[in-house]
């Protein structure tokens, strides 16, 4: 299959050849002819599948061949949930449409609105915008939807997650009913289906992979550990695997900053992306990471969606995401466009419930792999389809009086367990963040199916803590956390 066979004109084919795209991806093969034919689209496609080109290429072609814009008017409007994604989709339009006589611009909050108003004054062919800023522009009568030919909603599920539904309603009411609408979403949830039913006319439905599946080119596994050991474990993994560029996800802004400090103290170049950073700071951090000026990018889920970082081999979930879908989006940063990638999650006792949600969402059990010297004091139970019985048993155990709860592990506590394995107690794990990854004779070994159990006495307490949230929160070592 070639881009020519999909009906794309020569100037676009040339631009794609210059970018090194040899053949269309599955979502492009299905979407491009439908969009060129003017059909509405409902596409379940994750980041990394080539979805941006799937809507940008046929849009550019239609804009080039049909009509012209007028002052304040926009002919193709692409709505995206975040500023980072807006910037990235805009850059994609620029590179796919390089040399074409079309005017594209991007508009998002956090930067002055005046420049965006002045770009709109003469009219645009393509505007990529976040809903909030678009509403501001609309309120200020800086934009007209009169000539709007196509509306694209990119990452629509994320838009709903971020609470843009009301903004969308207002904006949709101001748009012409006669238009083409393309809806892209990582998942087809009930909320998305409802949104689609109100705005799409006889859409072509595309599903490039089963919803909520994680990309096959990403090798995923998890390392059970304790919360306080995570910084040391990460330093150890960086050293052991000699990873190059790594995108590291942390739950909170405070957590990101604390980890950056640890990494920098150890001589790593690291930058942060989270909600407290201004937009220029976030873009600069991403740019430096993309240009390989920094090795490590530490981010909250703000950065999880849409960031296009080519050929990224490694993602680390330092903390599991609180929303299971974000796991799919996070690991979508790697293994893109057919390349291989790895995603490793460091999982501690109070994340066992989150893990269960993730495994049941993706429909598979993540392989567990112990890291000697960093073993968890808790067990990470097998969940998902294979582990349904175990999950049910755990639930029953959680509901039973605590003293009756089963615990499997060698007698004699952590020290005995380590002695049994020929290891020493992990002194470093007790030092907490900020110490160097002491050289260890660490080895990674696959866990026996189902559970990983290291210690008895304290492990039993950890298991109890994992099952009881209230108890977990009162644990003195547990991080306080902060808003995302
Ligand atoms: P997207 O899913 O749109 O974020 O695209 C993911 C990555 O795939 C981006 O780096 C694109 O540049 C790349 N890409 C998109 N389409 C193709 C293609 N047909 N051939 C090679 N790479 C592609």
């Amino acid at each position: 299959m070639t881009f020519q066979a999909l009906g794309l004109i020569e100037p676009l084919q040339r631009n794609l050849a210059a970018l090194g795209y040899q053949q269309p991806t599955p979502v492009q093969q299905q979407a491009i002819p439908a969009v060129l034919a003017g059909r509405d689209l409902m596409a379940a496609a994750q980041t990394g599948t080539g979805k941006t080109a799937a809507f940008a290429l046929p849009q550019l072609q239609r804009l080039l061949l049909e009509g012209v814009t007028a002052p304040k008017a926009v002919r193709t409007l692409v709505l995206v949930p975040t500023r980072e994604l807006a910037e990235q989709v805009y850059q994609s339009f620029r590179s796919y449409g390089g040399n074409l006589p079309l005017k594209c611009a991007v508009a998002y909050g956090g930067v002055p609105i005046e420049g965006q108003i002045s770009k709109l004054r003469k009219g645009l062919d393509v505007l990529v915008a976040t809903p909030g800023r678009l509403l501001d522009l609309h309120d200020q009568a800086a934009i007209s939807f009169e000539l709007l030919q196509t509306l694209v909603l990119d990452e629509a599920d994320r838009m709903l997650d971020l609470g843009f539904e009301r903004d969308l309603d207002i904006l949709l009411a101001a748009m012409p009913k006669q238009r083409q609408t393309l809806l892209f979403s990582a998942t087809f949830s009930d909320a998305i289906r409802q949104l689609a039913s109100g705005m799409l006319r006889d859409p072509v439905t595309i599903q490039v992979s089963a919803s909520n599946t994680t990309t096959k080119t990403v090798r995923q596994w998890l390392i059970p550990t304790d919360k306080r050991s995570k910084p040391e474990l990460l330093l150890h993994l960086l050293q052991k695997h000699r990873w190059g560029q790594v995108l590291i996800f942390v739950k909170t802004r405070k957590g990101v900053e604390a980890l950056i400090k640890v990494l920098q103290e150890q001589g790593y170049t690291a930058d942060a992306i989270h909600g407290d950073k201004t937009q220029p700071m976030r873009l600069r951090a991403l740019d430096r990471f993309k240009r390989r000026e920094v090795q490590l990018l530490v981010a909250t889920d703000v950065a999880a969606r849409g960031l296009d970082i080519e050929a990224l081999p490694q993602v680390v979930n330092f903390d599991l995401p609180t929303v299971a879908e974000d796991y799919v989006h996070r690991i979508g940063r790697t293994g893109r466009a057919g390349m291989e990638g790895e995603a490793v999650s460091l999982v501690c006792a109070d994340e066992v419930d989150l893990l269960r949600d993730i495994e049941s969402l993706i429909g598979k059990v993540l392989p567990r792999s112990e890291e000697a010297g960093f073993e968890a004091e808790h067990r990470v139970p097998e969940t998902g389809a294979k582990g349904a019985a175990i999950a049910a048993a755990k639930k029953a155990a959680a509901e039973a009086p605590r003293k009756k709860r089963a615990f499997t592990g060698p007698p004699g506590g952590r020290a005995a367990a380590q002695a049994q394995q020929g290891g020493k107690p992990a002194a470093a794990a007790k030092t907490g963040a900020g110490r160097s990854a002491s050289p260890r004779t660490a080895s990674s070994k696959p866990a026996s199916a189902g559970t990983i159990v290291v210690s008895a006495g304290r492990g039993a307490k950890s298991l109890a803590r994992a099952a009881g949230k209230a108890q977990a929160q009162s644990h003195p070592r547990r991080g306080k956390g902060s808003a995302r």
Side-chain angles (χ1 to χ4, degrees):
M1 175 69 73
T2 61
F3 285 107
Q4 187 184 13
L6 295 179
L8 288 181
I9 53 177
E10 249 208 315
L12 290 171
Q13 288 176 38
R14 272 199 303 274
N15 289 343
L16 293 175
L19 289 168
Y21 291 13
Q22 287 169 357
Q23 56 178 35
T25 64
V27 68
Q28 291 162 6
Q29 288 177 26
Q30 295 180 61
I32 291 172
V35 179
L36 285 175
R39 296 287 303 273
D40 280 6
L41 205 69
M42 176 156 172
Q46 292 164 23
T47 309
T49 54
K51 67 181 171 67
T52 315
F55 62 78
L57 291 168
Q59 278 312 304
L60 288 163
Q61 179 155 328
R62 292 195 66 191
L63 291 164
L64 195 67
L65 302 182
E66 303 162 23
V68 287
T69 193
K72 291 193 183 177
V74 169
R75 297 204 291 152
T76 290
L77 177 64
V78 185
L79 280 179
V80 297
T82 63
R83 300 158 182 187
E84 284 83 5
L85 184 60
E87 195 60 51
Q88 197 179 291
V89 170
Y90 167 63
Q91 293 302 340
S92 296
F93 267 95
R94 286 183 49 142
S95 53
Y96 300 144
N99 301 330
L100 300 185
L102 294 170
K103 283 183 281 184
C104 303
V106 62
Y108 46 77
V111 294
I113 199 167
E114 288 72 24
Q116 298 166 3
I117 292 177
S118 98
K119 288 215 170 92
L120 272 162
R121 214 163 274 143
K122 287 186 186 158
L124 291 168
D125 294 297
V126 179
L127 177 67
V128 182
T130 53
R133 178 50 61 97
L134 184 67
L135 203 53
D136 288 347
L137 290 164
H138 183 251
D139 287 348
Q140 297 190 29
I143 187 167
S144 154
F145 296 132
E146 227 169 281
L147 296 184
L148 187 72
Q149 181 177 306
T150 304
L151 169 68
V152 183
L153 287 187
D154 192 14
E155 304 203 352
D157 49 346
R158 186 63 163 180
M159 250 182 281
L160 297 187
D161 287 350
L162 293 175
F164 284 130
E165 201 167 354
R166 217 184 128 261
D167 290 359
L168 280 180
D169 284 346
I170 299 170
L171 289 164
L172 287 169
M175 290 176 194
K177 298 266 173 296
Q178 281 299 320
R179 57 158 204 263
Q180 180 182 43
T181 307
L182 315 177
L183 186 148
F184 285 78
S185 182
T187 55
F188 278 174
S189 63
D190 288 348
I192 287 297
R193 285 179 200 282
Q194 202 179 335
L195 179 73
S197 71
M199 62 192 301
L200 301 179
R201 284 169 309 149
D202 186 24
V204 172
T205 303
I206 293 176
Q207 195 140 6
V208 281
S209 58
S211 59
N212 296 328
T213 54
T214 45
T215 146
K216 286 197 184 69
T217 51
V218 181
R219 189 170 87 84
Q220 303 164 61
W221 83 100
L222 66 83
I223 304 176
T225 190
D226 295 320
K227 190 168 196 140
R228 66 180 185 281
S229 304
K230 284 187 178 185
E232 287 274 349
L233 174 55
L234 176 64
L235 290 170
H236 164 73
L237 293 171
L238 283 166
Q239 211 175 52
K240 176 179 163 186
H241 297 289
R242 300 184 185 284
W243 284 331
Q245 288 211 289
V246 189
L247 179 57
I248 302 161
F249 285 100
V250 174
K251 194 164 64 185
T252 65
R253 301 166 191 191
K254 252 166 102 176
V256 170
E257 290 301 333
L259 186 59
I260 289 268
K261 201 161 164 257
V262 172
L263 294 167
Q264 287 175 342
E265 275 172 11
Q266 296 305 318
Y268 289 99
T269 51
D271 224 330
I273 289 191
H274 57 63
D276 281 347
K277 298 275 180 187
T278 63
Q279 183 59 10
M281 285 161 95
R282 286 196 224 176
L283 287 175
R284 199 164 51 240
L286 179 61
D287 195 47
R288 290 181 65 203
F289 185 62
K290 278 185 171 185
R291 285 194 277 132
R292 296 169 188 262
E293 286 169 22
V294 292
Q295 182 190 351
L296 311 172
L297 187 63
V298 188
T300 58
D301 281 297
V302 168
R305 282 298 197 103
L307 294 187
D308 182 15
I309 299 155
E310 272 173 50
L312 183 66
Q314 196 67 46
V315 166
V316 173
N317 291 313
F318 186 85
D319 296 318
L320 286 185
T322 44
V323 177
E325 278 84 1
D326 280 340
Y327 177 83
V328 180
H329 304 311
R330 285 180 178 191
I331 74 156
R333 306 306 94 213
T334 184
R336 316 190 86 187
M339 298 194 58
E340 298 216 332
E342 281 186 339
V344 57
S345 302
L346 316 186
V347 181
C348 67
D350 48 355
E351 293 173 309
V352 169
D353 291 344
L354 300 176
L355 176 66
R356 187 182 309 120
D357 290 348
I358 289 166
E359 292 187 327
S360 72
L361 179 78
I362 64 176
K364 64 179 165 200
V365 177
L366 295 175
R368 276 78 165 145
S369 176
E370 283 179 16
E371 200 64 43
F374 297 95
E375 298 90 342
E377 292 170 6
H378 65 283
R379 53 194 297 200
V380 174
E382 191 161 328
T383 60
K386 245 169 96 188
I390 295 169
K394 183 171 188 269
K395 191 162 174 265
E399 282 157 9
R402 192 156 287 160
K403 62 180 162 54
K404 287 193 183 157
R405 207 166 301 150
F407 180 77
T408 337
R414 183 178 174 84
Q418 278 153 343
Q420 273 188 4
Q421 292 175 44
K424 286 185 193 147
K430 295 198 179 79
T431 63
R435 295 294 195 86
S436 70
S438 47
R440 299 159 205 268
T441 48
S443 68
S444 184
K445 50 186 167 25
S448 58
T451 57
I452 290 170
V453 180
V454 174
S455 63
R458 289 177 61 191
K461 276 190 209 145
S462 293
L463 179 64
R465 283 203 302 271
K469 275 220 166 86
Q471 213 178 330
Q473 275 154 8
S474 68
H475 192 276
R477 281 203 199 96
R478 205 133 291 152
K480 288 186 193 82
S482 67
R484 246 192 263 186

